[in-house]
Amino acid sequence: MITGAFLAVWQWVDKLYYWVTRLQYVDRNHHNLFRVVVKPYRGETLITRDGVRLKKGDWYAKLHLHNFRIAQLLTQTSRRKGRRAEIGIELMILRQIRSSFPALAEFLERHPHSNRIQVLLGTTFLHSGSEYLGFDAREIPGIIRMQLKAFFLKLILVSCHPQGWKRLRNYKHPLIPKRVFISREEFNRRYSPARLK
């Protein structure tokens, strides 16, 4: 169970993390679930489903889910019990993520490096069904790197979810984070506010 004291400490840590990683809020006023860093890519070459190649030195948008905001949302629904409530919580998060996409597209359009951004890329446990949103999902390269990512993301999941460690133990599938990515062109085609009108 997430307590008020825990959230207060997390909020302080989150502010420090925000400052260290140079994150930018997509839309602070409307509680968008994404924060972003736009920078040159340093990893192995990625190829999106529509053939865009992201190579070292290419610019991309690194996506970070605003986990503190997700924790707040979960706290608001933590009084609900049972399997039905659990499914409702997870569907709520997915709906919030999808509804955050149009503002993310608009944010990237206004970014100083907008014309250089080729791909949007993030790391998450929430990769199941990502293909229906237009994203590709790939394993994180390197065992040690993957294990470190998994460890920190599991801590976030345990901290965020009302059932805590119980939710982690009862998860049906192995909790392995993956990289999810989509070309900027495909993302705009699906989620640009101008396209959705």
Side-chain angles (χ1 to χ4, degrees), residues 70-125:
I70 292 175
Q72 288 179 313
L73 290 172
L74 291 173
T75 301
Q76 294 167 8
T77 59
S78 62
R79 293 180 181 177
R80 286 183 273 177
K81 305 290 184 178
R83 178 67 178 167
R84 182 177 301 177
E86 182 178 323
I87 293 172
I89 287 172
E90 294 180 357
L91 289 177
M92 176 194 68
I93 294 173
L94 290 174
R95 284 197 299 267
Q96 288 284 336
I97 289 173
R98 198 177 197 286
S99 67
S100 293
F101 284 158
L104 174 58
E106 194 170 15
F107 171 85
L108 295 177
E109 191 63 32
R110 296 194 310 266
H111 195 277
H113 296 294
S114 177
N115 293 335
R116 306 173 74 177
I117 300 170
Q118 298 187 35
V119 169
L120 289 70
L121 169 67
T123 303
T124 183
F125 286 127

Side-chain angles (χ1 to χ4, degrees), residues 14-73:
D14 183 73
K15 289 179 179 179
L16 179 63
Y17 178 77
Y18 172 78
W19 180 77
V20 169
T21 56
R22 298 176 290 115
L23 289 171
Q24 292 180 285
Y25 282 90
V26 168
D27 187 348
R28 191 194 296 257
N29 294 329
H30 295 91
H31 304 297
N32 192 283
L33 289 188
F34 286 102
R35 295 182 292 185
V36 179
V37 178
V38 175
K39 60 182 183 178
Y41 182 65
R42 301 300 181 205
E44 298 177 357
T45 299
L46 291 175
I47 305 176
T48 66
R49 66 177 65 179
D50 54 343
V52 175
R53 299 174 67 90
L54 182 67
K55 308 180 298 297
K56 287 184 180 179
D58 292 340
W59 286 72
Y60 77 111
K62 185 176 183 180
L63 306 181
H64 292 255
L65 280 174
H66 193 344
N67 292 303
F68 176 72
R69 175 59 184 154
I70 292 175
Q72 288 179 313
L73 290 172

